[in-house]
Coordinates of all heavy atoms in Angstrom, one line a residue:
V156 N -51.5 12.8 12.1 CA -50.5 13.7 11.6 C -49.2 13.0 11.6 O -48.8 12.5 12.7 CB -50.4 15.0 12.4 CG1 -49.4 16.0 11.8 CG2 -51.8 15.7 12.5
D157 N -48.5 13.0 10.5 CA -47.1 12.5 10.4 C -46.2 13.7 10.5 O -46.3 14.6 9.7 CB -46.8 11.7 9.2 CG -47.5 10.4 9.2 OD1 -47.9 9.9 10.2 OD2 -47.6 9.7 8.1
A158 N -45.3 13.7 11.5 CA -44.3 14.8 11.7 C -42.9 14.3 11.3 O -42.4 13.4 12.0 CB -44.4 15.3 13.2
V159 N -42.4 14.9 10.3 CA -41.1 14.4 9.7 C -40.0 15.4 9.8 O -40.2 16.6 9.5 CB -41.4 14.0 8.2 CG1 -40.1 13.6 7.5 CG2 -42.4 12.9 8.1
D160 N -38.8 14.9 10.1 CA -37.6 15.7 10.1 C -36.4 14.8 10.0 O -36.4 13.7 10.3 CB -37.5 16.5 11.4 CG -36.7 17.8 11.2 OD1 -35.5 17.8 11.1 OD2 -37.3 18.9 11.3
I161 N -35.3 15.4 9.4 CA -34.1 14.7 9.2 C -33.2 14.7 10.4 O -32.4 13.8 10.6 CB -33.3 15.2 8.0 CG1 -32.2 14.2 7.5 CG2 -32.8 16.6 8.2 CD1 -31.6 14.6 6.2
S162 N -33.4 15.7 11.3 CA -32.5 15.9 12.4 C -33.0 15.0 13.6 O -34.1 15.0 14.0 CB -32.6 17.4 12.9 OG -32.1 17.5 14.2
H163 N -32.0 14.2 14.1 CA -32.4 13.4 15.3 C -32.6 14.2 16.5 O -33.4 13.8 17.4 CB -31.3 12.3 15.5 CG -30.0 12.8 16.0 ND1 -29.0 13.4 15.2 CD2 -29.5 12.9 17.3 CE1 -28.0 13.7 15.9 NE2 -28.2 13.5 17.2
Y164 N -32.0 15.4 16.6 CA -32.4 16.3 17.7 C -33.8 16.7 17.6 O -34.5 16.8 18.6 CB -31.4 17.5 17.7 CG -30.0 17.2 18.0 CD1 -29.0 17.4 17.1 CD2 -29.6 16.6 19.3 CE1 -27.7 17.1 17.4 CE2 -28.3 16.4 19.6 CZ -27.3 16.6 18.6 OH -26.0 16.3 18.9
A165 N -34.2 17.1 16.4 CA -35.6 17.5 16.2 C -36.6 16.4 16.6 O -37.6 16.6 17.2 CB -35.8 18.0 14.8
I166 N -36.3 15.2 16.2 CA -37.1 14.1 16.4 C -37.3 13.8 17.9 O -38.4 13.6 18.4 CB -36.5 12.8 15.7 CG1 -36.6 12.9 14.2 CG2 -37.3 11.5 16.2 CD1 -38.0 13.1 13.7
R167 N -36.2 13.9 18.6 CA -36.3 13.8 20.1 C -37.1 14.8 20.7 O -38.0 14.5 21.6 CB -34.9 13.8 20.7 CG -34.0 12.5 20.4 CD -32.6 12.7 20.7 NE -32.3 13.1 22.1 CZ -31.2 13.4 22.6 NH1 -30.1 13.4 21.8 NH2 -31.0 13.7 23.9
L168 N -37.0 16.1 20.3 CA -37.7 17.2 20.9 C -39.2 17.1 20.5 O -40.1 17.3 21.3 CB -37.2 18.5 20.4 CG -37.8 19.7 21.0 CD1 -37.7 19.7 22.6 CD2 -37.2 21.0 20.5
A169 N -39.5 16.7 19.2 CA -40.9 16.5 18.8 C -41.6 15.5 19.6 O -42.7 15.6 20.0 CB -40.9 16.2 17.3
H170 N -40.9 14.4 19.9 CA -41.5 13.3 20.8 C -41.9 13.9 22.1 O -42.9 13.6 22.6 CB -40.5 12.2 20.9 CG -40.5 11.1 19.9 ND1 -41.7 10.4 19.6 CD2 -39.6 10.7 19.0 CE1 -41.4 9.5 18.6 NE2 -40.2 9.7 18.2
L171 N -41.0 14.7 22.7 CA -41.3 15.3 24.0 C -42.5 16.2 24.0 O -43.4 16.2 24.8 CB -40.1 16.1 24.5 CG -38.8 15.3 24.9 CD1 -37.7 16.2 25.3 CD2 -39.1 14.3 26.0
N172 N -42.6 17.0 22.9 CA -43.7 17.9 22.8 C -45.0 17.2 22.5 O -46.1 17.5 23.1 CB -43.4 19.0 21.7 CG -42.6 20.1 22.2 OD1 -42.8 20.6 23.3 ND2 -41.6 20.5 21.4
V173 N -45.0 16.2 21.7 CA -46.1 15.4 21.4 C -46.6 14.7 22.7 O -47.8 14.7 23.0 CB -45.9 14.3 20.3 CG1 -47.0 13.3 20.2 CG2 -45.6 15.0 19.0
A174 N -45.7 14.2 23.5 CA -46.1 13.5 24.7 C -46.7 14.5 25.7 O -47.6 14.2 26.5 CB -44.8 12.8 25.3
M175 N -46.2 15.7 25.7 CA -46.7 16.7 26.6 C -48.1 17.0 26.4 O -48.9 17.3 27.3 CB -45.8 18.0 26.5 CG -46.2 19.1 27.5 SD -45.1 20.5 27.5 CE -45.3 21.2 25.8
Y176 N -48.6 16.9 25.1 CA -50.0 17.1 24.8 C -50.8 15.8 24.7 O -52.0 15.8 24.4 CB -50.1 17.8 23.4 CG -49.8 19.3 23.6 CD1 -48.5 19.8 23.5 CD2 -50.8 20.2 23.8 CE1 -48.3 21.2 23.6 CE2 -50.6 21.6 24.0 CZ -49.3 22.0 23.9 OH -49.1 23.4 24.0
G177 N -50.1 14.7 25.1 CA -50.9 13.4 25.1 C -51.4 13.0 23.7 O -52.4 12.4 23.6
L178 N -50.6 13.3 22.7 CA -51.1 13.1 21.3 C -50.3 11.9 20.6 O -50.3 11.8 19.4 CB -50.9 14.3 20.4 CG -51.9 15.4 20.8 CD1 -51.5 16.7 20.1 CD2 -53.3 15.0 20.4
E179 N -49.7 11.0 21.4 CA -48.9 10.0 20.8 C -49.7 9.1 19.9 O -49.1 8.5 19.0 CB -48.3 9.1 21.9 CG -47.3 9.9 22.8 CD -47.9 10.3 24.1 OE1 -49.2 10.7 24.1 OE2 -47.3 10.4 25.1

Side-chain angles (χ1 to χ4, degrees):
V156 185
D157 287 345
V159 173
D160 206 288
I161 194 171
S162 164
H163 68 277
Y164 292 117
I166 293 300
R167 288 167 58 186
L168 183 59
H170 273 299
L171 292 176
N172 278 316
V173 169
M175 183 169 67
Y176 281 89
L178 289 169
E179 297 96 327

